[in-house]
Amino acid sequence: QVQLVESGGGLVQAGGSLRLSCAASGRTFSSYYMGWFRQAPGKERDFVAAINWNGGRKYYSDSVKGRFTISRDNAKNTVYLQMNSLKPEDTAVYYCAADPTDLAIPRTIRYWGQGTQVTVSS
């Protein structure tokens, strides 16, 4: 059983930075696609970023491309999301996700974290 625990959220002013971490349990972590989604109150959960098993392929939503960077350290069973140039519209609960196949269909994703709050003030 894989468990995901997010950390690093908080309150930051517009233009600032935060680094989110997602620590994962499980012996097969290195073979999983890992990613981040976010959800604001009253809105759907949206894709943010994803990364394949060796970090060679990265995917970003258009709204965060150029500002956010996803990375992973398989030796530490951890995936990161470096968020720079934050905007008020980035405010949301950020969820870590993991799946052995892909993250294309959210309802089929096997594992989710509990989420961490990110609030960006204007």
Side-chain angles (χ1 to χ4, degrees), residues 49-65:
I51 189 168
N52 77 331
W53 69 275
N54 68 353
R57 295 182 179 181
K58 299 178 180 180
Y59 308 88
Y60 300 96
S61 68
D62 289 339
S63 63
V64 308
K65 190 176 299 182

Side-chain angles (χ1 to χ4, degrees), residues 1 10 13 16 19-20 42 45 47-49 80 83 87 89-90 92 97 110-111 119 121-122:
Q1 184 74 20
Q13 295 185 35
R19 185 177 179 87
L20 305 184
R45 187 171 298 186
F47 169 78
V48 176
Y80 306 95
M83 306 184 295
K87 304 175 180 180
E89 51 263 45
D90 295 318
R110 189 167 298 182
Y111 301 107
T119 302
S121 62
S122 61

Side-chain angles (χ1 to χ4, degrees), residues 1-4 23-29 77:
Q1 184 74 20
V2 174
Q3 295 186 355
L4 308 174
S25 65
R27 300 292 190 277
T28 61
F29 172 80
N77 291 339

Side-chain angles (χ1 to χ4, degrees), residues 37-91:
F37 292 74
R38 66 187 182 185
Q39 186 169 24
K43 297 185 178 180
E44 298 290 329
R45 187 171 298 186
D46 293 328
F47 169 78
V48 176
I51 189 168
N52 77 331
W53 69 275
N54 68 353
R57 295 182 179 181
K58 299 178 180 180
Y59 308 88
Y60 300 96
S61 68
D62 289 339
S63 63
V64 308
K65 190 176 299 182
R67 299 188 298 119
F68 291 11
T69 302
I70 190 170
S71 61
R72 68 190 296 166
D73 186 338
N74 290 340
K76 297 181 179 180
N77 291 339
T78 301
V79 63
Y80 306 95
L81 185 68
Q82 178 67 46
M83 306 184 295
N84 298 327
S85 301
L86 283 162
K87 304 175 180 180
E89 51 263 45
D90 295 318
T91 296

